[in-house]
Amino acid sequence: MAYDVEQQESIAELKAWFDKNANWLLGAALVALAVVGGNWGWRWYEQRESLAASALYDQYQQAVVAKDANKARELASALLQQHASSAYASFAALMQARASSDAGDSAAVKAQLQWVIDKSSNKELAALARVRLAGVLLDQKAYDEGLALLQADAPAAMAAEYADRRGDLLYAQGKTAEARSAYQKALEQAGAQSPLRPLIQVKLDALPAAG
């Protein structure tokens, strides 16, 4: 195909520009490919890790159902060590905390709940662990420690549970007026269908009349 003079000049200018910027263009292309490839690789890694954690958690649940405490403990430990960032690890730690509570091992309960607080990437699960650990501290009469634990911001889904537990701790300290305020706040924040509402109301009704 023949080109006129103007077209030939344009082609020459384009070729000169490309020759001058070839290295930059190649570098940009390689970076773009690296980003795309990296994103794809990371998604593949996350999917693989999620599947592995899910499979391990299934084994853990089977051990729990079979009442094989030693096997369940081993599998929970593997989940916490190998898949700490997954929700499955937090679920296993919470379940192990309940098992430790049933066994009367309060030190293990506290350690397992603290792990969820420190390691869980799920805010609601970490908040649930805070409420449960505050309950353990309530039983141990460590009221100030329990209240300090609940000073952290509560996710909206756990706000009622936080306020309710604060009420328990404050009442145990003999701070009836503050406990009433906490329970009232918990009642306001609990959803209309929340199973927590009747329990909160019972606690409120049981408080001594305000002087």
Side-chain angles (χ1 to χ4, degrees):
M1 179 183 294
Y3 295 99
D4 59 30
V5 174
E6 185 176 348
Q7 288 175 323
Q8 288 176 357
E9 289 177 350
S10 297
I11 292 172
E13 290 174 0
L14 181 60
K15 182 178 183 302
W17 181 90
F18 181 81
D19 290 342
K20 181 180 179 181
N21 296 281
N23 290 336
W24 181 88
L25 289 171
L26 179 59
L30 290 174
V31 169
L33 286 172
V35 170
V36 172
N39 287 338
W40 179 88
W42 179 248
R43 286 196 296 271
W44 174 83
Y45 173 79
E46 284 188 321
Q47 184 177 26
R48 187 189 68 172
E49 287 296 296
S50 179
L51 289 172
S54 176
L56 198 55
Y57 185 70
D58 285 344
Q59 295 177 44
Y60 169 74
Q61 287 185 307
Q62 291 170 17
V64 171
V65 171
K67 301 186 185 303
D68 189 340
N70 290 332
K71 185 67 173 178
R73 192 180 305 112
E74 291 174 4
L75 290 167
S77 179
L79 270 167
L80 269 57
Q81 292 177 15
Q82 300 171 23
H83 306 285
S85 63
S86 74
Y88 297 108
S90 296
F91 288 140
L94 288 169
M95 290 180 67
Q96 282 302 108
R98 183 178 293 277
S100 296
S101 178
D102 292 341
D105 189 349
S106 60
V109 174
K110 292 172 72 174
Q112 287 149 352
L113 292 175
Q114 190 64 53
W115 186 94
V116 179
I117 293 169
D118 294 338
K119 303 292 186 180
S120 181
S121 58
N122 184 292
K123 292 181 180 180
E124 283 73 23
L125 292 178
L128 175 60
R130 282 183 181 275
V131 171
R132 290 185 179 178
L133 182 52
V136 174
L137 295 170
L138 171 64
D139 292 340
Q140 295 179 343
K141 302 185 184 332
Y143 308 130
D144 288 336
E145 190 177 346
L147 287 168
L149 192 65
L150 296 175
Q151 285 180 353
D153 292 337
M158 293 294 297
E161 284 80 356
Y162 265 50
D164 176 60
R165 184 65 80 218
R166 286 195 193 96
D168 296 341
L169 289 158
L170 291 165
Y171 180 68
Q173 287 182 315
K175 299 176 180 178
T176 305
E178 293 179 54
R180 177 178 288 105
S181 177
Y183 287 140
Q184 288 173 338
K185 183 177 180 180
L187 201 60
E188 292 169 3
Q189 293 174 324
Q193 303 302 318
S194 171
L196 193 61
R197 287 186 67 87
L199 178 60
I200 299 170
Q201 189 63 60
V202 167
K203 293 178 184 179
L204 265 172
D205 294 342
L207 290 176

